[in-house]
């Protein structure tokens, strides 16, 4: 568990978008010894966010975003461990002016894969899709609401099925659980398009798709802080000054232990208790509802070119290790981008508690994967012009997994 830090710096009133990151730096870090890798936890704190975790075995250069208050501490830690560093970004606020420009007015845009969209636009897109299948005798497309967020946005999922009463196996896919990982959302919507085109996918399964698990956080990344990674709820004792829970730490398996924080001000805050958040409850509801009918569960994230399976909370693979690994090989081979395959705790070099995929696996579901979509050198800041090629590649991976379990 991380130490409790609460800095007044992160609760200052914000006027311009991303202003909170003024003076923040991003350091590139390269591990060269196993000792450095093993002591990675010494570089972590509630106020340091890794755009990319460094990894020796996988040859991954790490990127740590550090607030000015922590420059001396962080550099001292690096020197103690002898870790090589270079300054990648000298001021994140200035950097984001270029990488995260204020968008043009967004009225009545056509929905395609050349840009990112606001939550309302995504909901409109889903409604249009539903209407276009309203008179189709073979395919049902439903939008189902399960509760609302703390800021009163509808929490919805799509259900796509054949017009039949037969009970069929289910595939569940979630995107946007970490809201700054925008690329996951077009990736899942493109998957919906491909499913609707391919009769074999519809013949074999009912599809449940949660396009944006965390809409409050997602909207906040558009309006206030591009790199926000939690929800916007205020249940903790510090809720008003430090809102939000990391939804992918709020599930009950090994809750609030590894890579989690009990500080509401941390980006890794695990919540007041497991399943405290409406977003977590939505995913739990799907598992309660579909249970072991669920043949495949995918969580889309954007932590940089990894295809992982449980466990994340302990350094071991779950009982389905062989099936997961063989299916994963098919997916990795199908994708053009380079994806690293393995058990999450091993691939990331550390454990994480309370994740959605571990929760699903612990409920007896067979195939469960995280697809951590490739990055483009600056964490989750994926240029809009690259959306199309990335989401097509993600579909290659998803379709390979689905084909191998049909
Ligand atoms: C930091 O790492 C990124 C991604 O690997 C790379 O594109 C960038 O050039 C590096 N910056 C420096 C200053 O080395």
């Amino acid at each position: 568990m991380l130490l409790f830090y609460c800095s007044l710096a992160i609760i200052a009133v914000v006027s311009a978008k991303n202003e909170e990151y003024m003076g923040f730096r991003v350091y590139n870090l390269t591990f060269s010894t196993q000792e450095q890798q093993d002591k990675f936890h010494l570089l972590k704190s509630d106020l340091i966010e890794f755009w990319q975790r460094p990894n020796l075995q996988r040859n991954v250069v790490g990127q740590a975003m550090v607030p000015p208050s922590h420059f001396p501490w962080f550099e001292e830690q690096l020197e103690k461990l002898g870790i090589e560093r270079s300054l990648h970004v000298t001021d994140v606020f200035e950097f984001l002016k270029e990488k995260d420009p204020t968008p043009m007015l967004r009225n009545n845009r056509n929905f395609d894969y050349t840009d990112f969209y606001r939550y309302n636009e995504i909901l409109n897109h889903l409604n249009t899709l539903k209407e276009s299948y309203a008179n189709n005798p073979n395919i049902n497309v439903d939008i189902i609401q399960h509760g609302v967020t703390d800021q009163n946005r509808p929490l919805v999922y799509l259900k796509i099925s054949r017009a039949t009463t037969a009970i069929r196996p289910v595939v569940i896919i979630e995107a946007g659980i970490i809201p700054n990982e925008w690329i996951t959302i077009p990736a899942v919507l493109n998957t919906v398009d491909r499913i609707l085109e391919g009769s074999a996918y519809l013949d074999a399964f009912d599809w449940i798709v949660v396009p944006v698990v965390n809409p409050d956080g997602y909207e906040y990344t558009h309006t206030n802080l591009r790199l926000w990674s939690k929800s916007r709820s205020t249940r903790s004792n510090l809720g008003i000054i430090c809102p939000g829970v990391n939804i992918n730490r709020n599930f009950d398996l090994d809750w609030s232990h590894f890579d989690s924080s009990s500080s509401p001000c941390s980006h890794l805050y695990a919540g007041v208790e497991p399943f405290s958040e409406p977003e977590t409850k939505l995913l739990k509801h799907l598992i309660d509802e579909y249970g072991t009918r669920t043949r495949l569960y995918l969580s889309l994230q954007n932590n940089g070119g990894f295809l992982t399976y449980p466990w994340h909370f302990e350094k071991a693979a779950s009982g389905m290790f062989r099936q997961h690994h063989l299916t994963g090989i098919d997916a990795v081979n199908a994708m053009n981008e380079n994806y690293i395959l393995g058990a999450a705790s091993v691939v990331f070099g550390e454990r994480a508690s309370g994740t959605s995929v571990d929760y699903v696996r612990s409920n007896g579901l067979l195939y469960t994967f995280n697809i951590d979509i490739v990055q483009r050198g600056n964490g989750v800041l994926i240029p809009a012009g690259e959306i199309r090629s990335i989401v097509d590649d993600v579909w290659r991976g998803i379709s390979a997994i689905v084909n191998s379990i049909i």
Side-chain angles (χ1 to χ4, degrees):
M1 194 172 305
L2 296 176
L3 296 174
F4 185 100
Y5 287 99
C6 180
S7 159
L8 289 175
I10 68 172
I11 56 173
V13 175
V14 172
S15 49
K17 187 179 179 191
N18 294 322
E19 203 173 74
E20 199 172 287
Y21 305 120
M22 206 175 269
F24 280 39
R25 290 176 178 165
V26 177
Y27 293 86
N28 278 7
L29 314 175
T30 311
F31 287 166
S32 51
T33 69
Q34 187 57 42
E35 193 200 353
Q36 293 167 349
Q37 177 73 57
D38 294 342
K39 293 189 170 164
F40 172 47
H41 61 275
L42 296 178
L43 298 177
K44 294 175 67 177
S45 109
D46 278 339
L47 290 180
I48 290 172
E49 294 184 50
F50 281 85
W51 287 14
Q52 174 76 65
R53 284 150 204 258
N55 192 292
L56 176 66
Q57 282 75 23
R58 320 274 168 189
N59 217 0
V60 179
V61 174
Q63 295 188 323
M65 179 167 78
V66 184
S69 58
H70 280 53
F71 295 162
W73 177 82
F74 192 69
E75 295 189 359
E76 202 177 293
Q77 296 295 93
L78 292 177
E79 269 147 38
K80 251 192 248 167
L81 293 167
I83 294 168
E84 189 190 317
R85 67 167 190 256
S86 58
L87 203 51
H88 178 48
V89 177
T90 49
D91 184 333
V92 174
F93 172 61
E94 293 298 328
F95 185 75
L96 288 173
K97 275 189 189 163
E98 184 201 330
K99 303 283 180 191
D100 179 38
T102 309
M104 297 170 304
L105 249 176
R106 292 172 171 243
N107 283 331
N108 298 318
R109 293 190 298 170
N110 279 330
F111 195 95
D112 59 24
Y113 295 88
T114 59
D115 207 350
F116 296 102
Y117 295 85
R118 300 292 292 270
Y119 190 54
N120 270 336
E121 295 176 294
I122 293 166
L123 293 178
N124 287 339
H125 169 67
L126 300 182
N127 272 314
T128 306
L129 196 67
K130 177 183 147 112
E131 278 161 25
S132 69
Y133 283 87
N135 296 316
N136 188 310
N138 299 315
I139 301 175
N140 289 341
V141 176
D142 286 325
I143 302 170
I144 300 165
Q145 183 176 345
H146 184 80
V148 293
T149 64
D150 285 79
Q151 295 182 333
N152 226 16
R153 294 189 175 89
L155 285 165
V156 303
Y157 57 95
L158 274 184
K159 182 173 180 190
I160 303 170
S161 56
R162 282 281 184 226
T164 159
T165 52
I167 305 246
R168 297 160 354 122
V170 173
V171 177
I172 302 178
I173 312 180
E174 42 130 309
I177 192 168
I178 305 297
N180 60 29
E181 299 178 344
W182 289 2
I183 189 69
T184 60
I185 295 161
V188 89
L189 294 172
N190 179 57
T191 299
V192 167
D193 295 348
R194 301 285 86 79
I195 295 163
L196 286 167
E197 283 170 3
S199 57
Y201 300 112
L202 283 170
D203 291 339
F205 302 107
D206 289 348
W207 294 77
I208 303 289
V209 172
V210 189
V212 187
V213 172
N214 179 355
D216 286 353
Y218 183 65
E219 280 297 297
Y220 197 70
T221 64
H222 284 272
T223 55
N224 292 62
L225 295 178
R226 173 62 184 87
L227 303 172
W228 186 254
S229 53
K230 300 191 290 181
S231 66
R232 295 293 301 164
S233 67
T234 54
R235 276 175 201 83
S236 78
N237 55 349
L238 286 172
I240 302 300
I241 51 172
C242 287
V245 169
N246 189 314
I247 302 301
N248 204 31
R249 297 291 181 271
N250 189 234
F251 292 84
D252 66 352
L253 191 66
D254 198 42
W255 177 75
S256 198
H257 198 187
F258 297 107
D259 200 43
S260 301
S261 177
S262 56
S263 163
C265 300
S266 167
H267 60 289
L268 293 171
Y269 178 50
V272 289
E273 61 183 4
F275 302 117
S276 57
E277 306 304 297
E279 297 82 2
T280 327
K281 286 182 178 134
L282 164 66
L283 298 182
K284 181 178 187 299
H285 164 74
L286 294 176
I287 300 307
D288 291 346
E289 172 105 3
Y290 294 104
T292 47
R293 247 179 88 188
T294 311
R295 183 92 170 109
L296 172 67
Y297 187 98
L298 298 175
S299 172
L300 302 192
Q301 287 158 42
N302 184 209
N303 198 12
F306 301 99
L307 178 64
T308 63
Y309 45 81
W311 300 114
H312 207 159
F313 83 101
E314 70 172 347
K315 286 231 167 153
S318 79
M320 293 292 288
F321 159 74
R322 279 168 50 80
Q323 291 91 327
H324 276 128
H325 203 80
L326 293 173
T327 304
I329 288 173
D330 288 346
V332 166
N333 287 341
M335 287 189 274
N336 292 343
E337 302 283 349
N338 185 23
Y339 278 77
I340 292 164
L341 171 68
S345 54
V346 176
V347 164
F348 292 119
E350 66 170 340
R351 300 154 79 166
S353 302
T355 65
S356 67
V357 159
D358 273 6
Y359 162 71
V360 171
R361 179 72 192 94
S362 72
N363 274 263
L365 269 65
L366 298 178
Y367 290 97
T368 52
F369 290 96
N370 264 310
I371 301 180
D372 267 296
I373 299 172
V374 289
Q375 299 183 336
R376 282 289 178 271
N378 292 305
V380 297
L381 303 169
I382 309 272
E386 308 217 13
I387 297 171
R388 179 83 261 172
S389 70
I390 293 177
V391 303
D392 283 343
D393 201 44
V394 171
W395 169 245
R396 284 183 203 104
I398 292 177
S399 59
I401 294 173
V402 172
N403 287 335
S404 81
I405 62 168
I406 272 181

